[in-house]
Amino acid sequence: MTRTVYLNGEYLSETEAKVSIFDRAFLMADGVYEVTSVLGGKLIDFGGHLKRLERSLNELDMKKPAAFDDLLEIHRKLVELNGIDEGLIYLQVTRGAPGDRDFAFPDPETTEPTLVLFTQNKPGLADNPTAKKGIKVISIDDIRWGRRDIKTVQLLYPSMGKMMAKKAGADDAWMVEDGFVTEGTSNNAYIVKDGKIITRNLSTDILHGITRAAVLKFAREAQMIVEERPFTVDEAKDADEAFFTSASAFVMPVVEIDGTAIGGGSVGQVATRLREIYLEESIKAGV
Ligand code: PMP
């Protein structure tokens, strides 16, 4: 079935939606994005994703592509048109297509941003069996740029990281800088030790995960202790549990790092509980 996608004000078949070869995201990765999950036909953490989109646009002096109320309507319409019950909505804003290649930013008065949204149908997203057995990660050097807090479409290194993991027989990679884990290739990383949830503090070194914010809030509400600080791979190997969070995987247990089993190699209670709370509360708050 061909999807209906959104491009610059129009709902089109995915085979008809076309973007210029001069688009700045195509030539220079000059674009930002968001991924929002859909559960029971409702958007999860939508307010958080919009807020982060606004921040990414501001940090890069990019023009807003549409009124933010309109973005909610577009998301809802795509869910409806594509009959999505469980899945994802991908949104991308680029600095537009000035009609030639030039390093200087085009004049925003004459070059409109490109706005693209499309759905990904993922039945069974919430009830993912992988969450019951956990995943394996490897550690790799974090050689990305210094503004990882901006959600840009420069995803080459994270893609390479996933391929390195696959080659090593693992599922994903956690990136390490100056001896400390920054984050996963497309998620935020956590360990649990002696009942404490430890995750790297927010800075320009990591993406400020929307799922991270919600999960830490729910953890604190459930009287769990949260320590926001960097941790090492050795600490992770010695932890009682590990997990990651993202808008597409929610809370996902990690049971092995660089070949060493974490918490005896089985899924931990804290991650399992946080996944349950996150799904329950965020589905209730879905829009
Ligand atoms: N870090 C990185 C590098 C990511 O790509 C993502 C997912 N986009 C996350 C963390 C998790 O963020 P969120 O919970 O908002 O999906």
Side-chain angles (χ1 to χ4, degrees):
M1 198 186 94
T2 53
R3 278 172 287 200
T4 301
V5 304
Y6 177 94
L7 172 62
N8 296 333
E10 287 184 282
Y11 294 90
L12 301 166
S13 157
E14 67 183 37
T15 56
E16 279 162 26
K18 301 272 193 289
V19 176
S20 164
I21 61 159
F22 297 114
D23 196 280
R24 297 264 312 177
F26 179 64
L27 296 177
M28 295 181 172
D30 190 356
V32 299
Y33 75 108
E34 283 295 330
V35 176
T36 303
S37 60
V38 178
L39 293 176
K42 294 266 166 71
L43 302 163
I44 302 301
D45 275 336
F46 185 70
H49 287 287
L50 265 202
K51 230 188 211 158
R52 184 172 63 191
L53 174 65
E54 184 162 32
R55 181 172 181 279
S56 295
L57 292 169
N58 283 339
E59 291 297 310
L60 295 175
D61 285 328
M62 271 168 75
K63 208 159 122 180
K64 262 194 206 170
F68 278 21
D69 282 350
D70 295 340
L71 291 180
L72 174 59
E73 274 322 297
I74 299 166
H75 277 75
R76 282 186 168 147
K77 183 129 191 226
L78 284 181
V79 168
E80 186 194 315
L81 289 172
N82 293 287
I84 306 293
D85 180 52
E86 292 197 347
L88 305 170
I89 303 195
Y90 178 88
L91 170 155
Q92 180 171 322
V93 184
T94 86
R95 206 182 299 276
D100 199 0
R101 181 176 180 272
D102 188 347
F103 280 82
F105 292 172
D107 181 351
E109 293 300 316
T110 51
T111 300
E112 286 300 313
T114 302
L115 173 61
V116 173
L117 288 93
F118 57 82
T119 54
Q120 292 184 294
N121 193 24
K122 305 254 180 202
L125 189 65
D127 204 16
N128 185 350
T130 307
K132 295 200 175 64
K133 59 182 188 48
I135 66 139
K136 298 174 183 175
V137 300
I138 57 164
S139 62
I140 61 172
D141 284 342
D142 195 339
I143 59 166
R144 296 173 301 162
W145 78 324
R147 288 304 306 275
R148 302 160 192 161
D149 56 313
I150 308 173
K151 198 168 169 61
T152 75
V153 296
Q154 303 174 66
L155 296 174
L156 182 55
Y157 189 63
S159 290
M160 290 168 71
K162 299 241 192 222
M163 295 312 290
M164 289 183 236
K166 208 170 160 183
K167 210 169 158 194
D171 305 293
D172 203 356
W174 280 8
M175 293 178 280
V176 177
E177 186 174 53
D178 301 329
F180 294 96
V181 172
T182 50
E183 58 189 334
T185 55
S186 61
N187 46 66
N188 290 115
Y190 306 71
I191 56 172
V192 181
K193 184 71 181 171
D194 299 329
K196 265 186 229 156
I197 299 166
I198 301 159
T199 191
R200 196 180 176 104
N201 49 294
L202 296 182
S203 70
T204 51
D205 296 338
I206 62 168
L207 187 74
H208 301 189
I210 301 308
T211 321
R212 177 190 182 281
V215 164
L216 292 187
K217 176 173 156 275
F218 296 140
R220 288 181 169 119
E221 283 170 6
Q223 316 300 325
M224 296 180 188
I225 298 164
V226 177
E227 231 176 74
E228 294 183 66
R229 61 157 178 89
F231 60 87
T232 64
V233 171
D234 280 345
E235 267 189 286
K237 287 181 178 169
D238 189 43
D240 302 322
E241 289 186 35
F243 63 92
F244 74 73
T245 64
S246 73
S248 55
F250 315 118
V251 178
M252 183 58 67
V254 172
V255 293
E256 192 181 298
I257 183 159
D258 289 339
T260 300
I262 302 172
S266 49
V267 165
Q269 282 177 9
V270 173
T272 302
R273 183 73 195 117
L274 284 174
R275 184 179 176 90
E276 280 167 11
I277 302 177
Y278 178 78
L279 286 172
E280 194 181 315
E281 294 299 322
S282 52
I283 289 171
K284 250 193 265 169
V287 296

